[in-house]
Amino acid sequence: MSLSSLNLSLLNPPSALELLLEEINFQRTKEMRQLMKDDSGFVMLQGSSYWTDLFVRHFLFQADHCIDGDDMLFFVRKKHVKGSSKYLPKFETELAVYRKDSKRLPIGDPELDWEETVYLNLIIHQFEYILTLAICTRTSPKQLQILRRYSQKVYASPSRRRMDTKGEVEEITYPYICFMVDNFNEVMSEMLVRDGELVCVELMASDRDGKMQGVLFSGSIRYDALKHVYDARP
């Protein structure tokens, strides 16, 4: 390592998120190498202690400024379904939620899937998400012109509140992750779509330092398709 690169690394140390991703990548690479070497096709997976340790260090003992400040932690529990095959067991997935300072944190619970628990809290706490809604018109087969656009910060959640009914009851959607727009009516009232136009949606994820970012979802729907669904409502 050159002196200049050493100075650069000292001035720009990796963030907590980058360190976590490096550890995950290291473990995944290790398992893939083992799989390629083993002709049987089986991999001896790292015990849950590896992922438990990863979770504790990066979500329990991490400084608040390194994560989003939300003190709610999510735990993925896999319960064995009684009566399922011994060789092909089935599991029911449940979510448990605890505050970070709770004395009842299920550290060491053998039913917890600690790898999935790490991934879920990584998605919820370590990234920021921006949802952009735009009304566009097509100017050529491959070109769109933006007529109106609105962006706002949204939050990842393993649950949702139904939009077609009133009430505050939430339903668990995990392993699907939802990004709720609580002010949906307010946003859509300003985004009128007309014949010949499209509604375009983009969901962007980034770390808080802006070093990493990527598009999670991008899609569009035509006015006539929206109108067809609207007219078909009961």
Side-chain angles (χ1 to χ4, degrees):
M1 179 182 292
S2 66
L3 183 60
S4 59
S5 61
L6 177 60
N7 289 334
L8 184 61
S9 63
L10 292 175
L11 292 174
N12 299 286
S15 66
L17 174 58
E18 289 173 317
L19 291 174
L20 174 56
L21 293 177
E22 284 179 8
E23 291 191 68
I24 292 174
N25 182 60
F26 174 82
Q27 178 63 18
R28 281 276 154 251
T29 302
K30 178 181 176 181
E31 291 178 0
M32 288 303 299
R33 286 175 178 170
Q34 185 178 346
L35 176 62
M36 294 175 66
K37 290 180 180 179
D38 192 343
D39 295 334
S40 68
F42 291 93
V43 177
M44 184 64 70
L45 295 177
Q46 186 79 14
S48 62
S49 60
Y50 176 87
W51 297 101
T52 306
D53 174 70
L54 206 61
F55 175 83
V56 169
R57 286 189 289 108
H58 286 275
F59 294 102
L60 283 185
F61 295 153
Q62 193 64 262
D64 288 341
H65 69 272
C66 295
I67 54 179
D68 62 358
D70 186 350
D71 66 346
M72 304 301 291
L73 296 175
F74 296 82
F75 298 84
V76 181
R77 179 174 283 113
K78 297 289 182 72
K79 287 190 173 182
H80 182 261
V81 177
K82 294 182 179 180
S84 61
S85 170
K86 177 181 179 181
Y87 301 101
L88 293 173
K90 295 181 180 179
F91 296 91
E92 290 181 347
T93 301
E94 296 180 355
L95 281 188
V97 185
Y98 294 88
R99 292 194 179 277
K100 185 177 179 180
D101 59 356
S102 172
K103 296 181 180 180
R104 298 173 55 245
L105 288 174
I107 305 300
D109 187 334
E111 289 188 335
L112 287 180
D113 187 320
W114 284 102
E115 182 177 358
E116 283 196 27
T117 296
V118 168
Y119 295 152
L120 178 57
N121 286 278
L122 169 65
I123 291 170
I124 292 175
H125 294 299
Q126 294 279 15
F127 287 96
E128 294 183 346
Y129 304 92
I130 298 295
L131 180 69
T132 298
L133 177 67
I135 306 299
C136 304
T137 184
R138 192 173 295 281
T139 56
S140 71
K142 295 185 178 181
Q143 295 292 330
L144 292 176
Q145 178 184 356
I146 298 176
L147 304 176
R148 295 174 294 283
R149 178 168 55 189
Y150 176 84
S151 296
Q152 76 172 46
K153 186 175 182 179
V154 292
Y155 298 90
S157 173
S159 63
R160 69 173 182 178
R161 291 190 298 274
R162 295 184 63 89
M163 299 177 63
D164 56 350
T165 59
K166 294 183 178 180
E168 297 297 321
V169 178
E170 292 198 13
E171 59 178 330
I172 300 299
T173 59
Y174 185 82
Y176 299 104
I177 303 298
C178 296
F179 298 85
M180 298 297 296
V181 181
D182 291 324
N183 59 338
F184 177 81
N185 290 331
E186 176 185 340
V187 172
M188 291 305 298
S189 66
E190 302 294 329
M191 303 295 287
L192 300 179
V193 57
R194 300 178 177 85
D195 191 12
E197 298 175 347
L198 301 93
V199 177
C200 301
V201 178
E202 179 185 82
L203 180 63
M204 174 80 72
S206 65
D207 67 324
R208 280 179 295 281
D209 297 328
K211 295 180 180 179
M212 296 180 288
Q213 63 178 16
V215 176
L216 299 183
F217 174 82
S218 179
S220 63
I221 185 170
R222 301 188 311 274
Y223 167 84
D224 54 346
L226 278 175
K227 188 175 185 301
H228 176 75
V229 173
Y230 182 84
D231 292 341
R233 294 185 308 165

